[in-house]
Each structure stands twice: as C-alpha cells, then as structure tokens.
Amino acid sequence: MSNLEAILSRDAYLLSIEIRLFWLVALFYGICLILYIIHLITKKTGHGRIGTNILWLTAITHAGLILLRTFEGQRAPFQTLYESLSWFAWSASITYLYVERKWKDVYLAGILVSALSMGACFYALLTRSPAVEPLSPPLQSYWFEWHVILAFLSYAVFVVSCSIEISYLAVKPSVKKGLKLEYGLNMHNLETFHRQSFRLALFGFPLLTFGIFSGAAWANDAWGRYWGWDPKETWSLITWTVFAMYLHSMSIPKWKEMPASLLNILGFICMLMTFIGVNWLARLLGIPSLHLYAM
Amino acid sequence: MVRQAHHNIVTLSLSKGDVWKRLLPSNSVDLNPMAILKNIKDLNLQKIREAKLYRRFASLKTSIVLLGILVGFYILGTIFPQGGELEEYIEAGGRFASLVVFFNLLNIFTTPGFLITALLLFINLFICTIERLFVLLNQGIAKTEDLQFIPTHIFPLEINPHLEDALEGVREVFKKDLGFREQSSDPEMLDIGTDTKIIEKGWSYKWLTWIYHLSILFCFLGFFLTYLFSFEDEITLRPGEETIIKPAAISRWNRSWGRKPRELNFRLALQEFITEYNQLPALDYPGDKLSRLAVGMGWRDPKYLLKNESYFPKDWKSRLKVINLSPKSVIGEGNQAVLEKTIEVNDPLFYQGVTFYQAAYKQNLKIQVDDNPILLETETGKELIVPGIEGTFIFGTIRTGALFKRDGTIEKIRPFADVSFIKKDSAGKSEIEKLGKLEQDGSLVVDSRRISLKEFKEASILSYRYDPGVPILWWSGVFVLLAMSLRVFGAWYRIIYRIEERKGIPHLLLKIRIKGLMADEERLIHRLKYSLRKMTEPIDLDTPV
C-alpha cells in the first residue's frame, strides 16, 4: 500500500467513525426531545431533568465530534453546510444548557432547542455530503473563523431567546390566572424568566452586528465590494433589522409585551431564513448567490 | 426640567403651516441670500424642536416603523433577482413581469421608494441622536425618575457610632474598595438633599449608546459616498502584458454631471499568473437516505477513491507591477514601477484609491485536427465546432501549475483539459458525452479524427473599484462595534446613598441601578457587605500601632 493509499484509508476510517458518532448524537438529541415533550405533557420535572442530563452528555459527545472533524480537515469545521449544521446544533444546545443552569426545574425551552438540534443533525446526515474538503480560495481569509464563530454564536443565542419567549407566551396565561403549574414557573419568577429572553437577544445583537460587518469586510477583500445585495447578505440584514426593532420596542411601554415578543420570534424565523431558508429560496427562485459553499 | 419641557412639547398641536410661520420671521419669503442667512440665524431651535413633524421624527416608534418598511424592501430584494434583466426573469419562469416593470423590482434598492425610506430613517436617526445629545449634556441637572431616591437596601453600621465617621468610611469603601467615582451633580437640583451622594462605576451606558448611534449615522455617510462616487470595472491581462486603466463605468455623481470616464494616472503590468490545486480524492458515499442510514449503522463504509479524483482550486495569483505615469511619481520620476505585489483572492492591491482584485481567469486554447496546420482557437467552457464532425466540443478548465497532493508532496501538473462532446440525436435532443482528459500535445480520437491540444494561453481577470465610502464605513463600523459591545457586555452601576441615624445607629441607605450584561447587583451587594464588615470591625487595642 502506497503512502497516499494509506492516508486515504485512514481518512475514510476516521470519516466512518465520525458519521456513526454523528448519527448517535442526532439520535440522542431526538431522545432529549422526547423526554422534554413527556415533561410538557406530564408536568413532571424528572423527565425534564433526565432530558437535560442526556443533553449535556450529547453536547459533550458532539464537541468531541467537532474536534474530530477539525482534526480530519486540519481547519475550522464550518466550511460546508454539513459542517455548519453540526456546528449550529452544538452551539444552540450548549448555549441552552449554559442558560438553563440558572433555572432550576424549568425545562420548557429545551423542546425547541433539542428539536432544532436534532433536525439540523438529520438534515446534514441525510441530505449533505460529509466529504472533507480543503478551503476554497474565497474562504482562505482570517475573517473566516471569526465571522462564522460569532455569527453562529448569535444564532445559538437567538434560538434560546426564542425558545424562552415561546415558553413564556405558552405559560403566561395560566400563571397570570393563578393556576398551579409544574414547569417551575410561577408569578414570582415568570417575568425574570422572560427577561432572560431579552438579555439573550441583547447578547446576540452585537455578535450579529460583528458577523455582518466582518462579512462585509471579507466580501470587500474577496469580491471587491462590501455589499452586493446577495440573498444571504440581505437576509442577514433583515435579521439584524428585526432584532433592532425588537430591542427598541422593549423600551416602549406599550410595545414591550406582545408586539416585542412577536418581533423576537420573527427575528428567530429570519435567522433561520438567513441560515437555511435563503438557500431554498435562491434555488426556488433561481437567484444566483455568492455563498454557494454554504448551500 | 428638560423632561418636563418634553411633555409640554408633545401636547402642542400646530398645523404644519403654523409651525413654519412660528419658526421663521414674517419676512421669510425674501429670497435675498443675506435675508436667508439672517433668517437662518433667527431660527429658533427650541421652536423647531417643538414642531410636531420634528417630534414625530424624534420618536422611537417612527424608527421601528421605518425599519419595518425597509424589511419589506429587503424581502422583495431577495424574491426578485437584483440586477437581472427582465428577459432573464421571464425565461426563468417569473410570473409578475408587469409588476416587475412598474415597480422596478429587479433594481429595488435604487428605486425612489427605497431611497426615500432610507433617507427618512437617516433623518430619524439624526434627530434622535441630536435629541439624545441634548439630554446627555443636560443630564447633570436633569431631574429624572432614575435619580429619585427611594432606597432599596439598608445596612446598619453598628461599630461606627458617629455619623460623620460612618459617612467618611462609606465614602472610602465605595471609592477605594469598589472603584466608584462621585458624580458632581447638584443635589438641590436633583431634589435628593445635600446629604445624599451619587456615585457611578463603569462607562456611561448613555454615552456609549449615543456613540454607536452616531457611528451608524457615519455608516450611512459611507453608504452614501459609495452610492454617489464609487465605480468598478475589470481588465483582462496576459502574463507580460501592460495596460492603461480606462474604466468604462462611471460614478453616479459624474454621470449626473454628464462627465465621461477618465484614464487613471498609472499603468498595470501582469508579470506572472499562477494557479495551484489541491488533490481531492472523490468520496464514495451514497446519496439515498436508506443507504446513508446503512453507513451510520456500520453496514457500509465510505471510501476515498483516487481514480475519480478532482483538482480542487487552491489558489490563483497575479504578480502585478504598477507603473506611475505622472511626471513626478512617488520616487521622483514618471514611468517608473512604483509598486509590485502578488495578489490573490482576499489579498487585493491598493493604489491611489483604486483597489485591484483577483476576480477570475480565462484560458484560450488552440486545437489541431489531424495534421491540419491551421489551428482552431477557442476558450475554455465555450462550444467549438470542428469542421467535418457533427456536434460541438467543450473544453473544460485547463489544469496547470502546481498540484498539492494529499500525502504532502507537490507535483507540477502536465496541462490538461476535460473534454465533452455535445451531439444532437434525431429528435433534436442534446446528449453530452465525456471524452476524457486531453493533455497538452496529447490527442483524443472522435469520429476517426484526431483532436490535439497544441497550445494554450491564460489571462488574469482583475476587477478594480474606486470606493471612497469604504474608509468611513470601516472606521465607523469599528466604533459601532466597540461602543455597542461595551454598552451591552460591560457593566455600569449607579448608586444613590445616604447615611441616616436610626435608633442611635448610623444606617447606610442606598438605591442601585445597573446596566450591561456583566453588571451584577447581587455580587455588588456581596462585595459591599464584605467591605463594610471590614470597615466596622472593632479596633484591636492590644496590637501595637
């Protein structure tokens, strides 16, 4: 066996381990989702707690998987959509787990987070190629790591913010009526829990701003113009604008309730459009995009 | 006081005509420049700020509504391909041709509707920034709700029985232990009493908020300069060639004045063009979902295959030389090479305000059919008809330069192109047949004819752009990010405190206000309690001083 053949054989072996591990991780995100749904139905904290413990285990395994991918590619593991979906699932889960530590026995927000993480993993596994490719010339830039890491961190934060917002909207009517709930939320902590959603969006906003500015600076170096109304660029601006509307509406007394909540959820939907939906939209409408590597 | 004045302003209801009559003196219709200047001087700023329209533009609700309208434009811009032609849109199955024409939906970001909305947002942001500045400059005497003193924490200072000692001690704790600074506000104006102190720690969140909003205004200025003065074009250069730069494009500003594009004051020479590739083995991996599940279950293994390997572009570079044509160039003489640089994607050349980018490259090749001395010329990716052969040839990108192999070795590529042959069947349907690799000086046989690649030439395609908006945009972007990050992630505290004697014991009464995600009221209280405990520890009389 030649040296080259030995290297290819090793690469294929590592890839097979990675794919199997990825399936396992996706499956465990699914188990977390089921446990959180049982918690929603039964109102028993035990299921939620087990779900969170398994989610910790899954996120740690997923971190190992991402490290393995980094070793395989000898570069940051978010060049292709396969890789960025994996990164998105992991960053959303780890952000949720970090935030959830402060909220004893409140697991409602875990439903959306584990559902998205599972969905992202299965979407990557079933529809994208797992081939490890070298960086194409436009991606060989010092902006690559910073732009993607911070933009995806903002995505993860917006996912958790939206999950909390939806949980709040779902539970609020019952809590306000004084009904007894067993999701760990009551009249005393409900608004503080909701405040967490705003704080997360506030945390994510400068990160998204950096993501857009760094993307523009990178485009200026690579393509010769900082803004070209490319669908991906435009949707990132839409997401930024909607979150700007949300944050501003939080300082208007009449708008800080339902209108602001809806804007937060809309911002999350726009974020999903920026990440995934725009690829589908560009293909559907035949709009050329310079972000082909992310499709 | 300013806040109270605002309330009165909002309740004023004036018609637009009334507003301008009040703002300007009665002789304001005089068009004499001196009279206009005098009128400007006589403008009453306070009255402008009282105007209903001005108040509308100073409103946060207006900002949100305008941002919402802009979102609508942005979404339209992603539904309709921007910069495209109507024919292309119709060919691609577009069904709203009449709407597209009427609303200019293929160039929506240059339509009056979009530009006016952006302008209104700029005015809104400008007025809000000005208003915020007034508030900030007057905040030292402003009587605002957050400066009213309703204590939320009370600590007894048991060991310090004298009020004056306690006051001094607490002051030291806040200043030295906790790093607070005293505010030089006038207590009487604040209606909090002379014995009440205001202290702060951290960067003022209000100023930070103001700075990043002001920086966003400067970003708008950058966009505006780009919109008016930028132009871009591209040049194609072969290795060894030198050219003058005469852009065909012209900025909007110059076009509106009827000016024509001007030749730039330097020439550009391409000394070398380099292409590099990575060896990319093909992955044998199933496309259908069940087979992928089988891989996941370990019933099947993925494999990397070399026989279907592809050449993955690693880099393409142009070694450029700038020749200054001005009589006095940088080094003193005209027609001198003043700059040499190898550019690549992500690493452009910047000279005299113009940036040159490695955009792409093109390849021309000469094909020999049998032993015919007349060579056929074509370009990679384009169809070539060879006399005597029914169908057309397409020559793919010629791979040449260096190949970086997976085992770490570097190999010089023997130039080759992948050749396809398009033939129409009896029904007129095109069939594409892959003929394989055609190496330089090698040949392929098609219909008993020998097709040989005799020579090829490469040319570097460089795009260039003049954009005076970029520096302003970058600098203001840095300020936006810095100020926003400090505002959001930082920690700002304001404490209003007073020491009162209650039942013979001095008590510290305080109210805390925090801003920023790093600000933690509990931690502050914890540290304060710890410092106060230290301060109130009994003096050990046995220890010699």
Side-chain angles (χ1 to χ4, degrees):
Chain A
M1 189 186 275
S2 70
N3 188 27
L4 186 57
E5 282 170 341
I7 289 168
L8 294 182
S9 174
R10 183 203 64 188
D11 288 353
Y13 176 69
L14 286 176
L15 186 66
S16 65
I17 291 177
E18 185 213 306
I19 291 170
R20 278 155 212 168
L21 207 57
F22 201 9
W23 274 96
L24 197 69
V25 163
L27 190 71
F28 271 89
Y29 280 131
I31 292 170
C32 295
L33 174 63
I34 292 167
L35 285 165
Y36 285 133
I37 290 173
I38 294 172
H39 163 67
L40 176 73
I41 297 163
T42 63
K43 299 184 181 178
K44 286 181 183 168
T45 52
H47 293 108
R49 200 176 300 127
I50 297 167
T52 295
N53 288 336
I54 294 176
L55 193 60
W56 268 111
L57 192 73
T58 312
I60 291 166
T61 315
H62 200 162
L65 178 75
I66 289 169
L67 284 175
L68 176 64
R69 184 80 183 180
T70 311
F71 173 74
E72 281 180 85
Q74 299 289 302
R75 54 163 174 74
F78 24 71
Q79 181 188 2
T80 59
L81 187 57
Y82 173 87
E83 290 168 350
S84 49
L85 280 164
S86 170
W87 181 259
F88 170 75
W90 176 78
S91 54
S93 298
I94 209 79
T95 308
Y96 165 71
L97 289 168
Y98 180 78
V99 172
E100 200 240 51
R101 287 177 318 136
K102 293 180 184 172
W103 291 94
K104 199 172 178 290
D105 295 339
V106 181
Y107 304 108
L108 278 181
I111 297 173
L112 183 65
V113 175
S114 54
L116 277 171
S117 297
M118 184 197 72
C121 291
F122 278 123
Y123 181 51
L125 282 165
L126 294 172
T127 65
R128 319 311 303 174
S129 166
V132 182
E133 290 175 358
L135 284 180
S136 60
L139 295 181
Q140 293 165 23
S141 164
Y142 50 86
W143 289 113
F144 175 55
E145 285 88 3
W146 289 109
H147 171 71
V148 181
I149 288 174
L150 292 178
F152 271 81
L153 184 57
S154 76
Y155 289 180
V157 166
F158 293 146
V159 167
V160 182
S161 172
C162 178
S163 305
I164 293 175
E165 191 76 65
I166 292 172
S167 306
Y168 167 78
L169 290 178
V171 168
K172 187 182 157 192
S174 310
V175 172
K176 296 272 168 172
K177 279 180 196 163
L179 295 177
K180 196 187 171 202
L181 284 171
E182 292 176 26
Y183 297 125
L185 294 168
N186 52 45
M187 289 286 270
H188 304 293
N189 65 7
L190 184 68
E191 291 307 323
T192 323
F193 176 70
H194 185 214
R195 184 84 186 154
Q196 195 72 25
S197 174
F198 169 71
R199 284 170 65 87
L200 281 165
L202 194 64
F203 183 90
F205 192 69
L207 300 178
L208 182 65
T209 310
F210 179 84
I212 292 174
F213 264 109
S214 58
W218 186 3
N220 195 56
D221 279 354
W223 300 325
R225 46 111 202 104
Y226 60 80
W227 197 263
W229 297 110
D230 180 272
K232 195 101 175 168
E233 290 172 353
T234 311
W235 271 102
S236 70
L237 185 63
I238 292 171
T239 307
W240 188 88
T241 311
V242 171
F243 275 110
M245 289 164 71
Y246 165 66
L247 295 175
H248 282 92
S249 67
M250 285 299 281
S251 46
I252 301 174
K254 279 185 184 173
W255 290 19
K256 67 191 299 181
E257 294 293 324
M258 189 53 91
S261 294
L262 293 177
L263 281 171
N264 191 9
I265 295 168
L266 184 66
F268 163 75
I269 294 166
C270 292
M271 181 276 288
L272 279 187
M273 276 301 291
T274 309
F275 179 35
I276 301 285
V278 71
N279 304 343
W280 163 80
L281 193 72
R283 268 201 301 270
L284 181 79
L285 301 170
I287 300 171
S289 173
L290 283 165
H291 290 79
L292 278 174
Y293 42 81
M295 290 192 173
Chain B
M1 294 214 177
V2 170
R3 180 63 62 92
Q4 282 174 336
H6 280 342
H7 288 301
N8 294 336
I9 290 163
V10 175
T11 54
L12 277 173
S13 60
L14 301 168
S15 72
K16 282 176 194 167
D18 286 344
V19 169
W20 289 108
K21 272 179 204 167
R22 284 173 180 226
L23 295 178
L24 298 171
S26 55
N27 61 345
S28 61
V29 286
D30 192 346
L31 294 175
N32 181 326
M34 290 310 288
I36 291 170
L37 263 179
K38 187 179 176 299
N39 285 340
I40 289 170
K41 279 182 188 169
D42 290 345
L43 272 177
N44 187 333
L45 271 180
Q46 190 54 36
K47 280 195 175 174
I48 290 176
R49 293 176 69 204
E50 286 171 13
K52 201 174 175 183
L53 187 65
Y54 182 90
R55 298 311 313 161
R56 181 60 55 85
F57 269 104
S59 152
L60 206 56
K61 284 182 186 171
T62 307
S63 314
I64 296 173
V65 170
L66 288 171
L67 286 170
I69 296 169
L70 282 179
V71 166
F73 278 106
Y74 298 152
I75 291 174
L76 283 175
T78 62
I79 293 173
F80 298 94
Q82 293 305 294
E85 296 293 326
L86 184 66
E87 289 75 23
E88 288 170 5
Y89 171 73
I90 294 167
E91 273 175 30
R95 285 176 292 171
F96 306 103
S98 51
L99 278 177
V100 164
V101 173
F102 188 76
F103 290 109
N104 196 10
L105 292 175
L106 299 183
N107 290 294
I108 198 156
F109 300 115
T110 53
T111 55
F114 175 77
L115 294 174
I116 288 169
T117 312
L119 178 69
L120 291 177
L121 183 69
F122 176 83
I123 294 168
N124 168 249
L125 187 58
F126 181 76
I127 291 176
C128 286
T129 309
I130 295 282
E131 282 300 304
R132 176 64 68 143
L133 182 65
F134 283 136
V135 173
L136 283 169
L137 293 176
N138 292 324
Q139 72 176 359
I141 54 159
K143 181 186 171 185
T144 54
E145 280 175 24
D146 57 278
L147 289 174
Q148 285 171 6
F149 185 51
I150 304 159
T152 49
H153 302 277
I154 300 172
F155 303 105
L157 304 167
E158 291 171 346
I159 312 295
N160 262 315
H162 302 294
L163 201 61
E164 282 178 11
D165 292 348
L167 193 63
E168 191 53 38
V170 167
R171 204 176 151 203
E172 287 294 301
V173 163
F174 278 128
K175 203 173 171 184
K176 290 189 175 162
D177 291 5
L178 302 175
F180 277 80
R181 60 184 180 274
E182 283 188 11
Q183 288 300 101
S184 55
S185 305
D186 184 346
E188 283 180 11
M189 294 298 285
L190 293 171
D191 199 20
I192 55 173
T194 49
D195 54 344
T196 305
K197 302 281 178 202
I198 300 174
I199 51 174
E200 280 188 8
K201 185 180 174 181
W203 291 47
S204 163
Y205 79 95
K206 286 183 179 173
W207 276 107
L208 288 171
T209 307
W210 184 79
I211 289 169
Y212 70 73
H213 279 90
L214 180 73
S215 305
I216 291 172
L217 272 178
F218 277 95
C219 288
F220 268 89
L221 183 66
F223 300 144
F224 189 61
L225 289 179
T226 295
Y227 181 79
L228 276 187
F229 299 108
S230 72
F231 64 83
E232 61 185 11
D233 202 353
E234 62 178 42
I235 46 170
T236 304
L237 277 173
R238 294 189 188 286
E241 271 183 5
E242 190 180 308
T243 184
I244 52 159
I245 319 286
K246 189 175 182 184
I250 190 166
S251 68
R252 282 188 172 86
W253 177 260
N254 282 336
R255 198 188 310 145
S256 66
W257 290 99
R259 291 176 188 151
K260 289 185 176 168
R262 277 196 315 177
E263 205 172 280
L264 301 182
N265 201 23
F266 56 91
R267 296 167 74 92
L268 199 66
L270 175 67
Q271 295 176 299
E272 192 183 6
F273 180 69
I274 307 153
T275 50
E276 291 170 351
Y277 292 89
N278 276 313
Q279 185 183 39
L280 183 71
L283 178 68
D284 178 23
Y285 187 70
D288 68 291
K289 294 176 176 63
L290 274 178
S291 306
R292 286 186 170 203
L293 182 62
V295 174
M297 300 300 285
W299 300 331
R300 201 177 150 175
D301 285 323
K303 276 180 195 152
Y304 281 111
L305 303 172
L306 264 180
K307 60 181 178 184
N308 292 329
E309 67 181 327
S310 66
Y311 284 62
F312 193 85
K314 183 178 188 290
D315 223 334
W316 50 88
K317 305 173 189 177
S318 295
R319 197 149 62 84
L320 297 173
K321 190 165 76 175
V322 177
I323 297 137
N324 197 308
L325 299 175
S326 68
K328 283 192 176 177
S329 70
V330 176
I331 54 170
E333 294 292 329
N335 275 333
Q336 294 275 357
V338 288
L339 188 62
E340 284 188 32
K341 187 180 178 182
T342 303
I343 67 162
E344 55 190 290
V345 183
N346 284 315
D347 188 14
L349 166 82
F350 184 77
Y351 186 69
Q352 287 194 359
V354 184
T355 315
F356 291 86
Y357 303 89
Q358 181 66 68
Y361 59 92
K362 72 172 191 177
Q363 295 165 322
N364 291 80
L365 51 155
K366 286 185 177 172
I367 301 294
Q368 187 177 41
V369 182
D370 296 330
D371 294 322
N372 192 336
I374 301 167
L375 303 180
L376 301 173
E377 273 197 63
T378 185
E379 197 178 311
T380 53
K382 292 195 173 167
E383 291 187 17
L384 172 74
I385 297 169
V386 175
I389 299 178
E390 202 178 313
T392 52
F393 290 86
I394 292 184
F395 296 85
T397 305
I398 297 169
R399 308 297 182 184
T400 181
L403 175 68
F404 290 73
K405 296 183 81 172
R406 190 70 188 88
D407 59 3
T409 56
I410 303 169
E411 199 176 271
K412 193 173 183 308
I413 302 170
R414 185 172 176 172
F416 74 90
D418 288 315
V419 187
S420 304
F421 185 62
I422 304 173
K423 206 172 181 181
K424 285 191 176 169
D425 61 15
S426 52
K429 215 175 170 185
S430 296
E431 278 179 12
I432 301 174
E433 185 189 349
K434 286 190 175 172
L435 298 178
K437 277 183 184 178
L438 177 59
E439 288 187 344
Q440 191 171 24
D441 295 324
S443 61
L444 286 169
V445 177
V446 182
D447 282 358
S448 313
R449 308 287 296 271
R450 202 173 69 251
I451 308 291
S452 314
L453 173 61
K454 295 313 284 181
E455 58 182 91
F456 72 93
K457 278 182 183 171
E458 288 185 301
S460 178
I461 301 175
L462 307 170
S463 67
Y464 59 96
R465 184 176 171 89
Y466 172 76
D467 189 346
V470 169
I472 293 173
L473 187 64
W474 288 164
W475 278 109
S476 41
V478 167
F479 278 98
V480 168
L481 288 169
L482 275 177
M484 192 185 277
S485 302
L486 286 168
R487 158 67 184 89
V488 171
F489 304 128
W492 175 86
Y493 300 90
R494 172 183 280 160
I495 294 180
I496 308 178
Y497 74 92
R498 178 190 299 165
I499 299 199
E500 278 182 12
E501 201 168 84
R502 293 183 174 189
K503 295 178 185 172
I505 300 168
H507 279 70
L508 170 65
L509 288 72
L510 56 92
K511 177 192 167 187
I512 302 173
R513 187 157 183 247
I514 61 167
K515 282 281 174 183
L517 294 172
M518 293 293 282
D520 187 337
E521 189 170 336
E522 277 181 29
R523 195 175 62 216
L524 178 68
I525 293 292
H526 182 76
R527 283 188 64 196
L528 179 63
K529 277 182 182 169
Y530 178 76
S531 298
L532 288 176
R533 204 161 48 238
K534 265 201 321 186
M535 185 192 104
T536 54
E537 268 175 10
I539 300 163
D540 184 359
L541 295 172
D542 296 334
T543 309
V545 178

